[in-house]
Amino acid sequence: MTTRHGINWDKALQLHAQERERFIAARPQSRQLSGQAGQHLLFGVPLHWMDDWSTPFTLYVKQAQGASFEDVDGNQYVDFCLGDTGAMFGHGPAPVARAVAEQAARGITTMLPSADAVWVASELARRFGLPYWQFAMTATDANRFALRWARAATGRQQLLVFNGCYHGTIDDVFVDLVDGQPVQRASLLGQVYDLTQYTRVVEFNDLAALEAVLQDGQVACLLAEPAMTNIGMVLPEPGFWEAAQALCRRYGTLLIMDETHTISTGMGGYSRAHGLAPDMMVLGKPMGGGVPCAVYGFSAEMAERAQQAKREAVPGHSGIGTTLTANMLAMAAMRANLAEVMTEQAYAHMFALAGQLAEGLRAVIARHQLPWCVTQVGARTEFQFTATPPRNGSEADAILDSDMEHIIHLYLLNRGLLITPFHNMLLVCPQTTMADVERLVEAFDSFVQQVI
């Protein structure tokens, strides 16, 4: 018998073959659409990573509402992926849908601000504690723009990130540690210059390494998630961020918090919940209830430095901003989402259910004596193939197992339960019910029983 992460791998492979056949039999329309898509869509999908799910062919969605969606074959699903945070507050929130419909009838984009922009900026300042804000279409754009502002304000060129990070598709962040040395990520396509010239990388939770790369005074900013979420969740050790923040201040390095995923922590994100004071903050896909938009905020001091840098620059293109940024449709969606959807009541509901989900998964793992663990950040929960939660990107990367993930994900999908691809993250939204959570835990338990 072959074992892998505490399970019988031979049984797992046999179960996977059965689940593939079950998926195929139940989804003839998705199969037909997948065949047609191959004629005109590169890799047969609108974006190439849509081909990386656990399914034998692409699953096509007919409609999505609240915590559930329906595929084109009429199969119903409870969604614990929620657009990988893009729909963290549910699919098609009614206030956002109404605001979008009303605004679309009045106009979508003009390159001029609407009154909603003033309201949204004021609300962002109230929630997140940063007094000045700008807008973008995606968190990738917002991170890119924040990085430009940081370099312009400090006059420094170097960027610092944590090993295993993900901050969208800005080139600068794709540097990893391999045997302790910074290396450009091998999977990048079309990269023509060496990213390690201007990007430094250290392990998360390593204060000594952090100080070592900051002390020459050349690092413009540290761009980081307060808890790593894209390589599997990695939580900060007690006191880490307080000390890291102090080091950044000592060496004149700006701290940019990317809270696109850790907004799951609460109304003001992880930073506000834990008393941190970043110089800048980025928030992306959940902000508009599914409508493409992102925001990035500035402390008062950073805002003054950024404005001074712009005033002193040569007139011309700044490299910051896109034509559709802060369009009227996005601003209307954000206003409705902030005012009526991202509420204290919504978070309270989500936290309670996420806690129940985490407890249920831990109980299954303990009952079957699996060497796995469960990590939680607010409404975000993840099970990982290790008995001890990882403390940095290298440890998190070492426990990733895409083959195992695909088997579990497909098993759950065939039982009407969708979780996030690439790792094992689960989100709950305001419309998720206790029955949904119990159904997920029961299916997880059923899977484990079949492969041990």
Side-chain angles (χ1 to χ4, degrees):
M1 180 184 73
T2 304
T3 60
R4 190 161 168 172
H5 303 296
I7 70 167
N8 183 322
W9 190 242
D10 299 323
K11 287 185 177 180
L13 291 177
Q14 183 179 8
L15 178 62
H16 190 215
Q18 297 169 0
E19 294 301 320
R20 285 178 61 87
E21 293 303 314
R22 178 172 175 168
F23 179 91
I24 292 169
R27 296 163 182 85
Q29 292 300 316
S30 277
R31 187 176 190 178
Q32 181 181 357
L33 286 169
S34 293
Q36 295 173 354
Q39 300 174 28
H40 300 293
L41 291 172
L42 198 65
F43 301 103
V45 284
L47 288 172
H48 69 86
W49 50 255
M50 288 183 175
D51 196 35
D52 294 339
W53 287 78
S54 60
T55 55
F57 47 80
T58 304
L59 180 68
Y60 281 80
V61 176
K62 179 181 180 181
Q63 59 185 6
Q65 190 67 45
S68 63
F69 71 94
E70 178 184 356
D71 70 21
V72 292
D73 288 286
N75 299 300
Q76 305 288 329
Y77 305 84
V78 178
D79 190 358
F80 288 92
C81 172
L82 295 169
D84 193 20
T85 309
M88 192 176 84
F89 298 95
H91 295 290
V96 176
R98 287 194 301 269
V100 167
E102 292 169 3
Q103 184 59 57
R106 297 195 300 266
I108 295 173
T109 187
T110 62
M111 288 184 68
L112 291 167
S114 64
D116 287 337
V118 179
W119 187 96
V120 169
S122 177
E123 176 63 10
L124 293 172
R126 184 189 72 82
R127 287 190 183 217
F128 298 103
L130 294 172
Y132 295 96
W133 292 82
Q134 290 280 272
F135 299 93
M137 291 298 294
T138 67
T140 291
D141 282 342
N143 279 318
R144 181 184 294 113
F145 302 157
L147 177 56
R148 280 189 175 271
W149 282 120
R151 284 172 164 158
T154 62
R156 300 177 179 182
Q157 296 181 338
Q158 294 290 315
L159 162 69
L160 176 61
V161 295
F162 289 120
N163 185 40
C165 73
Y166 184 78
H167 298 286
T169 55
I170 52 173
D171 294 345
D172 309 71
V173 303
F174 291 110
V175 177
D176 299 321
L177 281 177
V178 178
D179 298 326
Q181 297 300 312
V183 175
Q184 184 169 294
R185 194 165 295 177
S187 58
L188 282 182
L189 295 173
Q191 184 62 40
V192 297
Y193 63 89
D194 182 7
L195 297 176
T196 62
Q197 294 179 81
Y198 299 108
T199 300
R200 302 178 182 183
V201 57
V202 297
E203 292 286 10
F204 196 65
N205 281 319
D206 191 336
L207 289 170
L210 179 63
E211 183 166 17
V213 299
L214 292 180
Q215 60 189 359
D216 67 359
Q218 297 302 307
V219 178
C221 63
L222 166 60
L223 174 60
E225 291 184 289
M228 299 184 73
T229 65
N230 276 282
I231 197 166
M233 286 210 285
V234 181
L235 303 185
E237 295 179 339
F240 171 73
W241 272 119
E242 290 77 8
Q245 188 170 254
L247 287 172
C248 287
R249 288 173 178 163
R250 181 186 306 170
Y251 296 109
T253 294
L254 299 172
L255 176 59
I256 305 175
M257 284 294 197
D258 182 351
E259 294 244 28
T260 296
H261 282 176
T262 54
I263 187 65
S264 64
T265 312
M267 293 273 285
Y270 189 100
S271 297
R272 202 75 188 270
H274 293 270
L276 303 181
D279 300 286
M280 300 182 71
M281 179 185 291
V282 170
L283 294 141
K285 47 196 168 186
M287 298 306 292
V291 174
C293 58
V295 301
Y296 55 109
F298 301 72
S299 68
E301 180 183 354
M302 180 55 195
E304 177 53 38
R305 294 175 71 178
Q307 290 176 100
Q308 184 66 24
K310 175 59 177 166
R311 285 193 292 265
E312 294 175 353
V314 174
H317 295 294
S318 66
I320 297 171
T322 55
T323 305
L324 293 176
T325 294
N327 66 76
M328 294 186 295
L329 192 71
M331 304 312 287
M334 265 193 285
R335 180 168 184 168
N337 201 46
L338 288 166
E340 302 181 63
V341 181
M342 292 175 63
T343 64
E344 291 283 8
Q345 293 84 356
Y347 272 105
H349 175 85
M350 293 157 68
F351 291 165
L353 284 186
Q356 291 294 316
L357 176 57
E359 288 181 14
L361 294 174
R362 289 190 184 107
V364 172
I365 289 168
R367 184 162 58 251
H368 298 290
Q369 299 182 318
L370 289 174
W372 299 3
C373 68
V374 176
T375 310
Q376 183 184 354
V377 177
R380 180 182 302 273
T381 306
E382 181 159 16
F383 61 91
Q384 294 170 290
F385 305 133
T386 177
T388 304
R391 65 182 299 271
N392 58 45
S394 289
E395 291 182 8
D397 182 60
I399 62 174
L400 292 177
D401 187 333
S402 60
D403 292 335
M404 174 81 87
E405 291 166 8
H406 280 187
I407 296 172
I408 297 174
H409 296 185
L410 184 58
Y411 182 91
L412 294 175
L413 189 67
N414 278 337
R415 284 145 189 84
L417 299 157
L418 184 75
I419 72 173
T420 304
F422 315 128
H423 45 104
N424 299 313
M425 192 274 292
L426 306 100
L427 279 168
V428 296
C429 71
Q431 296 81 26
T432 307
T433 67
M434 190 60 206
D436 296 332
V437 168
E438 291 172 348
R439 180 176 165 189
L440 187 285
V441 172
E442 289 171 3
F444 181 73
D445 189 23
S446 174
F447 169 80
V448 172
Q449 290 184 50
Q450 295 188 57
V451 295
I452 58 175

